[in-house]
Amino acid sequence: MRELSGHGESSGLDEVAGGSWISNWLDSRTGYRALVRSALYERVPGGARWRYVWGSTLVFAFMTQVITGLVLWASYSASAQTAWESVYYIQYEMTGGWLLRGLHHVMAQAMVVLLALHVMQVVIDGAYRAPREVNFWLGLVLMMLVLGMALTGYLLPWDQKGYWATRVATNLAGLVPLVGPSIQQLVVGGPDYGHHTLTRFFALHAGFLPATLVIFLVLHLTLFRKHGLHAKQPITKPDAMFWPDQVLKDAVAMLAVMAVVLGVILMPALRAILAGEPIVPGHLGAELGAPADPSEPYAAARPEWYFLFLFQFLKVFEGWGATGEFLGAIVVPGATLGIMFLMPIFGQWKLGHRFNIVFTIAILAGAGLLTAMALHEDYYALWADRSAFADVEELIESTGGDEDKIFAALGHDKEKLDVFTNRREKLEAIRRSEAFLVAVKQAARDSDRAVELAGRPEKIPPTGALSLVRSDPLSQGPKLFAQHCQSCHAHIDPSAENAEEVFAKSSAANLFEFGGESWVRGLLDPKRVGGAAYFGNTAHKEGDMVSFVCEDFTDEDEWKQDDKEAVIFTLVAESGLLQGTGRKGTGRKKVIKRGQELIANTDRCGSCHPYRDNETELGYAPDLNGWGSEEWLVGIITDPTHQRFYPDTNDRMPRFGVASEGGLQALSNKQIKLVSQWLRGSWYRPAVHNQANSDRDHL
Amino acid sequence: MTEQLSEDSAEQETRRRSFLAGVVAVLCGGLATLPPVVAAVWSFLDPLQRSSGAATFLPLTDLTNVPADGQPRQFPVIADRVDAWTGFQAEPIGAVYVKRDEGTDRVEVLSATCPHAGCFVELDNAAGCFRCPCHNSSFTLDGGIVAPSPSPRSMDSLECEVSKAGAVSVKWQNFYTGIEDKVAKK
Ligand code: FES
């Protein structure tokens, strides 16, 4: 290589440099020409080839990560109350932040793919054989470092996805014999996830690992230069120089990699353009889930796709107990790496080399297969037809899942039972997949909402985005309702397809748009008040309210249409949900006045209900002052047996806000408020958003 | 002769000196680098000194909120929490399932943390069992393992107390995952 430098090939460089005294001076002080020459004028035996580009593309990918990573670092803040928040800011508010983060995120994935290709090329070409063994080992260390950076990077946004996936990974680290628990505690930065998990992961991701990687990369490249490129045999073409022949191929490959990465980032934009929708830059590039919440289950937890095979691998050891766990998470991956380290030694023999090739391909194929299995399991419900298993479902339901009863129902036929068990497993798989898909959708909604909240004009409070989400009626209401109210109350649009079915199963009123006009109309509709959506499944089915609506209220002499309307209108006004009803101006005031008189009248509603100054005593029927308002709802949820509501006739509704001495309330005051606000549809809505969409989207 | 001798001893002397110099150089250099290395390792190992503190009984809910129908219900475990430099008051630090069998006052509490690898176990009401969304471990409503399962043990039960007034409290603990024995983290 050196002797070439004085000859024709390198003359280009000398010509450029030769004339200038500055470059002569610089060269005499630094010797840079020799450096540049030795870097560029490497002989490539047999000429430049495409199969040599993988190493260079990896270096290129790493450089991309360094450039984008350093600038991300300049905007990132590693702590439990600022990590998600700063990443949100990068992604949604910083100019070009989505592109910066997108490049870093997608290139990381590209790097994993390039790594696999590079390893495959090296093994297949036998490039690990003497004298290049050490360099192969250095390469394996580099591979582990890159995977380590991928793993640590996944947690840094501190969103639900990264949080739960990484928790699994660190828990698995605890399985290493003897030192496992200590390693786990050191990595996590204490007994629990928190600030120090982030600061440690960040230090690993941006400091320790890349610094080590640079050292090993320098060694790797130095050894690569020392031994020269391992040429693919047989050599058929004349030798060429690294510059510009191989560099050209490398550069084209880099461009191709970048094009793919950009393509992945911009794909959603293209789709939006084709669908005629506006492009939201924040939605391009890397996702950002809802802020990490240790107390909130996250059923969509999956590792990044390139670790999915390891994730699936754990399922393979189902039923092996702790041994399986240990095998799947520690022994097999460890042994695989061990074998890879021994490859250069095996490779001395022809058979060993063959083994290495087969082994590498088998590992990659196995990983591919496991990944496909994981995806297949998760998305099974998308193509499987659940209705084909209706009979299985029916049989399980009618027998309560009891094995003996099922066997009897199948006429004690062993064969039929086998078929049944088989189909039952398939059904289970569909249901699991359905649950996963629901969880994925929920996760997307949660993350959209978190972003929406973070974008409020008031911005994120110092307690972090999680406190915003936790105090958001739209985020918490449905969960609280599902947990505490749904066992009795329905919450479904009466015009929905399966509404009647849901009503039939409920044992208390449907609370969908409670306090709003349509709800009140239903209440005062003789055909509906005694139905399952109102009092039909309660102890009040034959109560005074139902008979009042069915008899008195339908008497047209007593209740004129206008008066009925006034009552409806006034009740909605009490709940403070008039916005939707479209009445304005003085007409409205008049109607409300009329309605108030009618409701207060002790010959009408007021005979049972206390209202305004009608002096009807509390305790017989609910107080209609402020009926349906937030305060009223908080009151009834806290204690339905309170004088204002149903002191004697409460039908099974728990006192959610009352606790015995030393005990805790079923719902905290804050939670009761959240449910009330959610029921009334009062939550933050971004101003610019299409109102009609955002209102109902989340319900 | 003497010249030879003195030359030899001079050479020996130089060797001895350079050996000594080497030793001293290594010593000085080593000593100089020692403090930062010691400080670094010392602080880096700090998490090993941290523990989540002795497990205490935390108030969970009222007995009235746990109907005696054998159906588990999920409750958050609320406690003050310290995360390095931040102190939280009354934060959810985890979740449990509480179950009371029909016609009894006996309450059972199960941790919602999956004994396999720590995901959040969910209650599958339709199927009448617990299910972990991560690697599909299933458990009966009593927390028993449903074979075959990736999980090496049943769900972790937690000690609980019911006061005379009907207040349910639970001894909140985290356990190591992925092993057969239920070992509490310190
Ligand atoms: S973490 Fe629950 S099954 Fe793996």
Side-chain angles (χ1 to χ4, degrees):
Chain A
M1 173 177 80
R2 289 268 143 64
E3 76 252 314
L4 281 167
S5 56
H7 303 293
E9 284 90 346
S10 56
S11 61
L13 189 77
D14 287 340
E15 263 165 38
V16 176
S20 154
W21 67 268
I22 294 188
S23 63
N24 286 337
W25 176 83
L26 199 64
D27 189 44
S28 78
R29 300 299 186 276
T30 63
Y32 83 95
R33 278 183 203 146
L35 267 174
V36 172
R37 257 179 235 129
S38 71
L40 292 178
Y41 296 99
E42 160 89 5
R43 183 193 295 280
V44 181
R49 298 180 78 146
W50 287 110
R51 62 190 310 133
Y52 304 149
V53 300
W54 303 120
S56 307
T57 53
L58 270 169
V59 174
F60 164 70
F62 179 62
M63 288 325 293
T64 310
Q65 296 308 75
V66 171
I67 294 168
T68 51
L70 282 173
V71 183
L72 280 168
W73 185 347
S75 309
Y76 176 71
S77 171
S79 90
Q81 275 81 50
T82 56
W84 187 92
E85 293 70 8
S86 59
V87 175
Y88 157 79
Y89 194 80
I90 294 171
Q91 181 73 24
Y92 287 91
E93 311 225 345
M94 239 169 71
T95 329
W98 59 272
L99 180 61
L100 181 72
R101 196 169 158 253
L103 282 172
H104 198 73
H105 177 76
V106 182
M107 191 57 97
Q109 309 185 25
M111 230 168 145
V112 176
V113 177
L114 293 172
L115 253 177
L117 290 169
H118 188 47
V119 171
M120 220 159 69
Q121 176 249 328
V122 167
V123 173
I124 291 177
D125 287 359
Y128 53 63
R129 277 189 284 215
R132 298 185 178 81
E133 302 98 319
V134 175
N135 216 16
F136 181 73
W137 291 328
L138 290 173
L140 286 182
V141 173
L142 284 168
M143 176 180 88
M144 294 198 304
L145 287 168
V146 169
L147 292 179
M149 284 170 53
L151 188 81
T152 45
Y154 201 45
L155 177 75
L156 297 182
W158 203 241
D159 57 359
Q160 281 282 70
K161 194 172 53 155
Y163 177 88
W164 287 98
T166 312
R167 247 176 87 125
V168 171
T170 52
N171 276 335
L172 293 178
L175 293 176
V176 177
L178 296 176
V179 287
S182 301
I183 293 183
Q184 187 185 348
Q185 191 133 343
L186 279 179
V187 171
V188 169
D192 261 321
Y193 265 56
H195 293 316
H196 273 168
T197 319
L198 272 170
T199 50
R200 283 185 176 235
F201 268 64
F202 188 42
L204 280 172
H205 183 79
F208 291 104
L209 295 177
T212 318
L213 193 141
V214 167
I215 295 171
F216 276 84
L217 188 60
V218 169
L219 292 175
H220 193 64
L221 293 178
T222 313
L223 285 196
F224 167 67
R225 275 303 159 98
K226 179 174 162 64
H227 300 304
L229 196 138
H230 177 273
K232 171 82 181 143
Q233 304 293 339
I235 293 174
T236 48
K237 288 200 205 128
D239 294 0
M241 280 295 133
F242 185 64
W243 170 266
D245 297 6
Q246 186 62 42
V247 173
L248 172 66
K249 287 201 161 59
D250 287 356
V252 171
M254 290 176 200
L255 193 62
V257 169
M258 187 45 87
V260 172
V261 167
L262 278 176
V264 172
I265 296 174
L266 295 174
M267 187 67 87
L270 191 70
R271 247 184 265 135
I273 291 172
L274 290 179
E277 286 162 7
I279 301 169
V280 185
H283 291 167
L284 301 178
E287 273 183 317
L288 178 62
D293 186 346
S295 66
E296 197 60 58
Y298 186 69
R302 292 291 181 269
E304 204 51 307
W305 65 264
Y306 42 79
F307 286 130
L308 210 50
F309 72 99
L310 282 175
F311 162 88
Q312 185 71 12
F313 197 53
L314 288 181
K315 292 191 199 165
V316 173
F317 292 94
E318 206 172 73
W320 288 48
T323 342
E325 184 86 356
F326 183 61
L327 280 176
I330 312 283
V331 178
V332 177
T336 309
L337 260 178
I339 293 178
M340 291 186 82
F341 268 94
L342 294 177
M343 276 183 178
I345 296 174
F346 299 158
Q348 290 174 353
W349 302 280
K350 215 174 189 152
L351 202 65
H353 177 58
R354 293 232 177 95
F355 166 80
N356 288 341
I357 294 181
V358 172
F359 183 79
T360 310
I361 292 176
I363 290 288
L364 286 173
L369 187 71
L370 284 167
T371 311
M373 273 164 67
L375 293 173
H376 178 81
E377 268 183 37
D378 282 347
Y379 296 92
Y380 188 38
L382 289 183
W383 55 84
D385 178 17
R386 182 165 170 176
S387 60
F389 295 87
D391 55 317
V392 179
E393 266 176 284
E394 239 162 65
L395 187 56
I396 293 174
E397 194 157 313
S398 64
T399 55
D402 188 292
E403 306 271 330
D404 296 333
K405 282 189 197 159
I406 292 174
F407 197 34
L410 294 170
H412 295 282
D413 184 338
K414 194 88 186 60
E415 228 165 77
K416 271 193 190 163
L417 184 69
D418 286 345
V419 175
F420 176 82
T421 319
N422 196 313
R423 294 186 62 215
R424 183 182 182 162
E425 264 160 32
K426 282 222 174 95
L427 175 68
E428 276 295 298
I430 297 177
R431 289 194 41 213
R432 274 200 299 268
S433 159
E434 275 173 355
F436 172 77
L437 294 174
V438 167
V440 168
K441 270 212 190 108
Q442 180 64 41
R445 273 201 296 265
D446 287 348
S447 98
D448 284 350
R449 181 60 181 169
V451 165
E452 210 166 71
L453 289 171
R456 298 171 322 149
E458 299 89 334
K459 303 291 173 195
I460 302 168
T463 44
L466 183 57
S467 68
L468 265 185
V469 173
R470 282 187 177 160
S471 54
D472 173 37
L474 182 56
S475 308
Q476 301 308 319
K479 288 173 191 159
L480 290 169
F481 188 88
Q483 239 177 59
H484 300 276
C485 320
Q486 210 160 32
S487 54
C488 301
H489 288 284
H491 188 279
I492 185 169
D493 187 342
S495 60
E497 214 179 293
N498 58 336
E500 286 308 321
E501 221 175 282
V502 178
F503 293 155
K505 279 194 198 142
S506 64
S507 58
N510 176 26
L511 296 182
F512 182 78
E513 293 191 345
F514 176 81
E517 188 183 350
S518 65
W519 196 91
V520 177
R521 276 192 193 285
L523 176 73
L524 297 176
D525 179 346
K527 282 199 230 82
R528 286 157 66 192
V529 63
Y534 289 89
F535 292 117
N537 292 337
T538 74
H540 303 281
K541 183 178 164 75
E542 269 138 34
D544 292 343
M545 182 66 187
V546 177
S547 61
F548 164 77
V549 173
C550 294
E551 290 155 27
D552 305 34
F553 206 56
T554 42
D555 182 343
E556 281 178 21
D557 296 332
E558 216 177 306
W559 284 93
K560 304 267 177 304
Q561 191 56 36
D562 273 358
D563 289 350
K564 285 185 178 179
E565 285 297 317
V567 167
I568 292 172
F569 193 65
T570 308
L571 278 176
V572 182
E574 284 294 327
S575 75
L577 293 173
L578 263 187
Q579 300 95 323
T581 53
R583 301 206 190 198
K584 288 191 192 93
T586 46
R588 165 178 172 151
K589 268 199 192 131
K590 249 198 212 151
V591 177
I592 291 186
K593 191 143 183 284
R594 174 76 186 136
Q596 286 172 339
E597 280 165 18
L598 289 162
I599 296 175
N601 189 333
T602 49
D603 287 331
R604 296 174 184 260
C605 313
S607 70
C608 301
H609 292 283
Y611 186 66
R612 303 258 144 175
D613 43 12
N614 70 0
E615 290 180 3
T616 302
E617 266 185 48
L618 285 175
Y620 186 69
D623 179 11
L624 294 185
N625 288 298
W627 175 86
S629 64
E630 186 181 318
E631 182 270 337
W632 192 93
L633 270 172
V634 166
I636 193 167
I637 298 173
T638 305
D639 184 5
T641 65
H642 185 274
Q643 282 295 321
R644 278 179 73 191
F645 307 104
Y646 298 100
D648 304 317
T649 51
N650 176 40
D651 181 19
R652 292 165 292 170
M653 173 147 162
R655 299 153 74 198
F656 287 100
V658 182
S660 59
E661 227 188 274
L664 275 185
Q665 298 169 195
L667 284 172
S668 69
N669 294 344
K670 186 178 162 193
Q671 288 174 316
I672 293 177
K673 198 166 166 189
L674 285 170
V675 178
S676 308
Q677 288 172 336
W678 174 68
L679 283 173
R680 294 169 36 77
S682 61
W683 56 74
Y684 166 74
R685 292 174 176 83
V688 279
H689 222 248
N690 179 344
Q691 194 77 15
N693 278 341
S694 71
D695 277 7
R696 291 292 160 232
D697 258 4
H698 295 279
L699 292 181
Chain B
M1 192 71 183
T2 42
E3 229 167 67
Q4 185 68 36
L5 248 178
S6 67
E7 224 169 73
D8 268 5
S9 67
E11 201 175 293
Q12 251 178 18
E13 174 69 16
T14 339
R15 235 188 278 143
R16 205 170 55 91
R17 290 185 65 161
S18 69
F19 172 74
L20 245 154
V23 169
V24 174
V26 168
L27 253 165
C28 288
L31 266 177
T33 12
L34 208 55
V37 172
V38 168
V41 173
W42 196 13
S43 315
F44 188 78
L45 297 182
D46 166 81
L48 295 180
Q49 310 301 318
R50 310 264 153 206
S51 83
S52 27
T56 49
F57 277 92
L58 300 169
L60 196 61
T61 184
D62 246 27
L63 198 56
T64 45
N65 300 325
V66 191
D69 56 2
Q71 211 33 53
R73 279 170 180 76
Q74 188 195 314
F75 290 91
V77 179
I78 312 275
D80 293 348
R81 182 171 76 90
V82 174
D83 174 8
W85 56 87
T86 313
F88 297 93
Q89 262 158 21
E91 264 241 324
I93 57 166
V96 293
Y97 290 100
V98 186
K99 180 171 82 92
R100 177 146 67 120
D101 282 330
E102 257 160 275
T104 67
D105 265 1
R106 235 178 62 79
V107 169
E108 278 169 60
V109 182
L110 295 170
S111 168
T113 309
C114 182
H116 180 234
C119 285
F120 199 117
V121 177
E122 295 194 312
L123 181 59
D124 186 340
N125 271 318
C129 65
F130 288 108
R131 181 162 298 153
C132 180
C134 285
H135 316 91
N136 302 334
S137 288
S138 296
F139 307 94
T140 62
L141 291 187
D142 295 315
I145 193 164
V146 177
S149 168
S151 174
R153 62 170 190 262
S154 305
M155 282 172 79
D156 298 316
S157 59
L158 297 169
E159 272 178 64
C160 68
E161 273 173 3
V162 183
S163 77
K164 278 220 182 73
V168 183
S169 50
V170 66
K171 188 171 173 190
W172 173 250
Q173 277 176 305
N174 280 307
F175 302 93
Y176 284 107
T177 58
I179 49 178
E180 251 144 57
D181 303 319
K182 183 177 147 193
V183 184
K185 284 193 189 173
K186 275 184 226 97

